[in-house]
Amino acid sequence: MNKNLYLVRCGEVALKGMNKPYFERILLERVKNALACYEGAEARWIDGLMFVRVPDTVPEDDVVDKCVKVFGVASVSTAVECEKDIDKIGAAAAEMMQKIIDNEGVQSFKVKGKRADKSFPIQSPEIGRIVGAIILKACKVLRVDVHKPDVTLTVDVRREGAYIFRDKVRGFGGLPLGTNGRGMILMSGGIDSPVAAFMMAKRGMTIEAVHFHSYPYTSQRAQQKVEDLVRVLAGYMGTIRMHVINLLPIQEQIVTNCPEDETTLLVRRFMMRIAEQIAIKNKNMMLITGEDLGQVASQTAEALVVTDSVVKMPVMRPLIAMDKVDIMDKAREIGTYDISIQPYEDCCTVFLPKHPVTKPKLERIEESESKLDVDALVAAAVASEEIVTISPR
Ligand code: ATP
Ligand code: MG
């Protein structure tokens, strides 16, 4: 079986000191997992570079796409391997270049030489010059342009062989999943929370989700949308468990017993309490939300203080200081935006007050809440959870 070669580089993992072998081992496992759907795929580290080989029946773009979605990967390139013999390297590079010319009609190029194996008798700049000359001779339509070439080929002479590659496709960087604890994302169907989950997972955190709905005020389709969002995230993180809770009984109590302008905040306090209970039960150590300072009434500084005060667990808000436009860009980049903007109702919008408080006082909110049996309502909500397991497509 013929296999194509891919070179996978790690980012921050390479900067780790004593713990580097641990991070490298996990990253290797994550890449292998991502490619497990291709029979015969293999991956291993050699001198700080990951060598991935996948049967050539699998389209190269699919393999690259799978690799760049693994957190901890800085970049990936498809590569050609050959013997450490300058003529053979030249011939392989010329063959590669001819294919590029046939496919893309490029006119100028440059070759960069790299020599990690210092026992190879030719130095880096010289490797570039010799291979460049062989390519020029073989591909008459090309000229060398060292400043703005259409194509740059890199020749990397290493201990175990010589490798020629063209583009590096950038990964998201970060740290391998599972190296930084477990967090529970409060997942709405909006733009923000999927981005928040992504950002924490990118730093190595394993993610579990909780979603609140107000069925039958919110529809099945609205929940389907949230599952679709989580499925996109699962493309980066593997299977994700989502706890689904009907908040309607609590919302009805709030609407009946408490001031209208405090509805959203009171609902949010219940969400946090329930999420914390579920997080504890499932050994998550933090809550994560998509809150963003000042974005809406429930996310003013005062409102965040009121929301935060009901839980002991740390609450991560990775978007807190971002502008909405930047969050939207990030959502497009990770592939959640188009799903997020589908117009389905969220439980928060079901009983939206006309004029929500923007500078709530904690004592007043607590006073309003004293009319409710908070513990019983939270316990009932937690007991009613349904769990959905969502795998990547
Ligand atoms: P998003 O785009 O994430 O919906 P938003 O700007 O609409 O954000 P809010 O609706 O005020 O903000 O919600 C703030 C945060 O509260 C969300 O980012 C999310 O973490 C959590 N949240 C809101 N609604 C829900 C829900 N139905 N289920 C679970 N978490 C929710
Ligand atoms: Mg929302």
Side-chain angles (χ1 to χ4, degrees), residues 85-94 109-115 120-138 144 153 155 157:
D85 171 298
I86 196 69
D87 293 324
K88 291 195 173 139
I89 295 173
F109 79 109
K110 140 178 161 182
V111 180
K112 271 197 334 210
K114 265 177 82 181
R115 186 185 61 144
F120 189 69
I122 306 168
Q123 293 188 353
S124 304
E126 198 56 21
I127 296 173
R129 270 197 291 277
I130 297 174
V131 174
I134 297 173
I135 291 176
L136 265 184
K137 218 168 140 193
V144 173
L153 288 190
V155 175
V157 181

Side-chain angles (χ1 to χ4, degrees), residues 101-318:
I101 295 169
D102 294 345
N103 289 334
E104 301 168 38
V106 295
Q107 293 173 348
S108 64
F109 79 109
K110 140 178 161 182
V111 180
K112 271 197 334 210
K114 265 177 82 181
R115 186 185 61 144
D117 174 7
K118 301 296 177 209
S119 72
F120 189 69
I122 306 168
Q123 293 188 353
S124 304
E126 198 56 21
I127 296 173
R129 270 197 291 277
I130 297 174
V131 174
I134 297 173
I135 291 176
L136 265 184
K137 218 168 140 193
C139 311
K140 297 275 186 292
V141 294
L142 283 182
R143 63 188 160 73
V144 173
D145 183 341
V146 290
H147 300 295
K148 273 187 105 183
D150 294 338
V151 181
T152 302
L153 288 190
T154 304
V155 175
D156 194 359
V157 181
R158 300 170 60 86
R159 198 166 48 90
E160 61 294 338
Y163 304 90
I164 309 161
F165 58 84
R166 185 187 168 188
D167 306 315
K168 289 183 180 176
V169 181
R170 278 182 58 150
F172 290 95
L175 296 169
L177 206 65
T179 56
N180 244 322
R182 299 170 53 82
M184 174 70 75
I185 175 78
L186 283 82
M187 187 69 193
S188 71
I191 294 169
D192 305 328
S193 38
V195 176
F198 177 91
M199 286 175 74
M200 294 307 287
K202 185 167 90 74
R203 297 304 301 168
M205 183 166 272
T206 303
I207 301 292
E208 207 164 328
V210 55
H211 172 66
F212 300 97
H213 63 83
S214 317
Y215 188 77
Y217 286 83
T218 56
S219 61
Q220 288 287 358
R221 190 62 195 80
Q223 185 179 323
Q224 185 58 49
K225 171 185 169 183
V226 178
E227 290 180 22
D228 291 345
L229 282 170
V230 175
R231 191 165 295 106
V232 174
L233 295 177
Y236 300 90
M237 307 170 199
T239 300
I240 298 174
R241 261 160 45 108
M242 184 163 81
H243 303 260
V244 179
I245 291 186
N246 190 340
L247 209 57
L248 189 57
I250 293 179
Q251 288 174 301
E252 283 170 343
Q253 287 288 315
I254 293 173
V255 171
T256 316
N257 296 296
C258 307
E260 195 228 357
D261 61 349
E262 295 172 2
T263 310
T264 309
L265 262 184
L266 292 168
V267 169
R268 296 206 46 72
R269 280 162 65 91
F270 273 94
M271 283 187 183
M272 298 300 272
R273 290 184 178 105
I274 296 165
E276 184 182 45
Q277 297 278 319
I278 297 175
I280 292 169
K281 246 171 69 180
N282 293 280
K283 301 196 166 51
N284 292 285
M285 46 180 88
M286 296 175 178
L287 300 178
I288 306 163
T289 76
E291 286 163 312
D292 175 26
L293 189 60
Q295 196 184 92
V296 288
S298 60
Q299 295 173 32
T300 61
E302 291 82 357
L304 291 174
V305 170
V306 167
T307 315
D308 223 34
S309 67
V310 290
V311 288
K312 287 208 185 74
M313 203 173 253
V315 182
M316 298 292 119
R317 299 182 166 93

